[in-house]
Amino acid sequence: MGQQLIEYFPLNTLMLINGSFPMPVMITKKQFNAHHEKTTPTIQLKKKIRKFYHKRHFLFKKFDEGIVLDEESWYSVVPEEVASYVAERLHKRIIDQKIPIKQVIDGFCGSGGLAIQLASKFDNLLCIDLDPVKLQNLQANAAIYQRTIETQLNNFLMIEHEFDENIILTLCPPWGGLNYFKKEVYDLEKDMTPCLSDILKKAFSISCNIVLQLPKNVSISQLTTLIQQQSQHLNFKRYSLEIEMIYINDQINSQVQL
């Protein structure tokens, strides 16, 4: 494998070649600004979580209206401004390309950061999670935003669904806790559970339209290799990859693959 591209690189377009097929990869960057409100938490939180309380209104603008988060959701939920941007971009692309979308499936919905914003753009949204607490959180939080969302308690890898190119999958799989960023390169096979190849295998059995949220320190070469390996049944001539680097307060936070 050639030189790994990780974390820091300028806005550009590359052509990565893994094996015999060249995959066009567009890399873009989006900046968000989060305001921290250093106030004493009014709810009981573990020490390692308290810093996230300071950006609670960045996570949910309506936090004070009764937003509910379990411990893991404090550091894993997609912030509202980021989620709104992803949902809007996805919706605009569908309109521009005149894609007849039947359904959007959020395969790792958690407490609803992204799902609530998707529900503002798409009527037929199904949210899946294997944690009943997170689904309860999602329903409570969706009600605050006056959204009605269909949920399913299930493991994304176990759902049964026929392939349909008019379905969009949004996938924010767990990264393994707060220590993921301590690794120089986050291994999408060894450090992620379930591993990305298993997620992609299931995803590509459902649709070729996939949005992934991944850690900032993944190897782009590993990512493209895994995508090619798991999508061999697709028409590669029509297949491309867009990676958007999400920056919060001038620091890279995550990667969204479209």
Side-chain angles (χ1 to χ4, degrees):
M1 189 183 302
Q3 181 182 3
Q4 290 184 330
L5 297 173
I6 58 172
E7 196 167 347
Y8 303 109
F9 41 82
L11 175 67
N12 53 38
T13 303
L14 334 173
M15 185 71 77
L16 297 183
I17 300 179
N18 294 317
S20 59
F21 175 74
M23 175 183 287
V25 181
M26 173 71 78
I27 299 178
T28 58
K29 173 182 174 181
K30 179 66 177 178
Q31 171 73 39
F32 296 91
N33 295 312
H35 300 288
H36 293 252
E37 306 166 30
K38 294 188 177 181
T39 57
T40 302
T42 57
I43 55 179
Q44 191 70 28
L45 293 173
K46 291 183 179 180
K47 185 177 180 180
K48 67 178 182 178
I49 303 299
R50 290 174 190 169
K51 64 179 180 180
F52 297 100
Y53 182 82
H54 300 320
K55 56 181 181 180
R56 60 197 180 280
H57 294 113
F58 180 62
L59 299 181
F60 288 93
K61 293 180 180 179
K62 295 186 177 184
F63 182 87
D64 294 336
E65 298 182 30
I67 292 295
V68 182
L69 298 174
D70 59 291
E71 179 180 315
E72 185 180 40
S73 294
W74 276 101
Y75 56 81
S76 63
V77 70
V78 181
E80 180 169 336
E81 191 174 345
V82 177
S84 177
Y85 169 75
V86 172
E88 177 62 35
R89 264 202 75 190
L90 194 56
H91 185 258
K92 184 178 185 303
R93 176 174 292 183
I94 289 167
I95 297 298
D96 291 346
Q97 297 181 4
K98 299 180 181 180
I99 303 173
I101 294 302
K102 295 180 180 178
Q103 186 180 39
V104 177
I105 300 176
D106 189 344
F108 301 83
C109 63
S111 293
L114 179 58
I116 290 169
Q117 300 306 315
L118 289 172
S120 71
K121 298 294 182 182
F122 301 97
D123 294 329
N124 192 358
L125 171 66
L126 172 63
C127 292
I128 298 170
D129 206 286
L130 51 72
D131 184 347
V133 172
K134 287 183 173 56
L135 291 183
Q136 291 174 6
N137 293 347
L138 184 153
Q139 292 290 11
N141 297 336
I144 292 171
Y145 284 81
Q146 299 182 334
R147 305 294 177 198
T148 300
I149 299 176
E150 180 184 358
T151 60
Q152 181 182 125
L153 179 64
N154 206 341
N155 182 336
F156 173 72
L157 299 185
M158 302 300 293
I159 66 172
E160 296 183 4
H161 208 296
E162 293 184 358
F163 182 87
D164 192 329
E165 63 181 8
N166 295 321
I167 288 176
I168 292 178
L169 297 173
T170 60
L171 306 173
C172 304
W175 298 349
L178 289 170
N179 294 323
Y180 75 90
F181 62 89
K182 294 182 179 180
K183 301 176 181 293
E184 181 179 358
V185 179
Y186 183 94
D187 193 310
L188 293 165
E189 292 295 270
K190 297 178 181 178
D191 298 328
M192 181 179 285
T193 304
C195 65
L196 187 60
S197 61
D198 286 345
I199 294 172
L200 290 173
K201 182 177 181 180
K202 169 55 72 172
F204 283 133
S205 74
I206 298 172
S207 177
C208 56
N209 298 310
I210 300 170
V211 178
L212 276 169
Q213 185 185 29
L214 299 172
K216 62 184 181 181
N217 51 338
V218 304
S219 161
I220 304 301
S221 294
Q222 184 189 31
L223 173 61
T224 56
T225 297
L226 291 173
I227 289 174
Q228 289 186 339
Q229 288 174 346
Q230 298 300 325
S231 61
Q232 291 178 354
H233 63 283
L234 297 179
N235 182 349
F236 282 126
K237 292 182 180 179
R238 297 175 55 198
Y239 196 77
S240 63
L241 176 67
E242 181 176 345
I243 299 173
E244 183 130 60
M245 314 302 290
I246 301 298
Y247 282 74
I248 297 176
N249 294 343
D250 295 318
Q251 294 186 358
I252 187 169
N253 179 262
S254 64
Q255 300 181 23
V256 175
Q257 177 262 314
L258 301 169

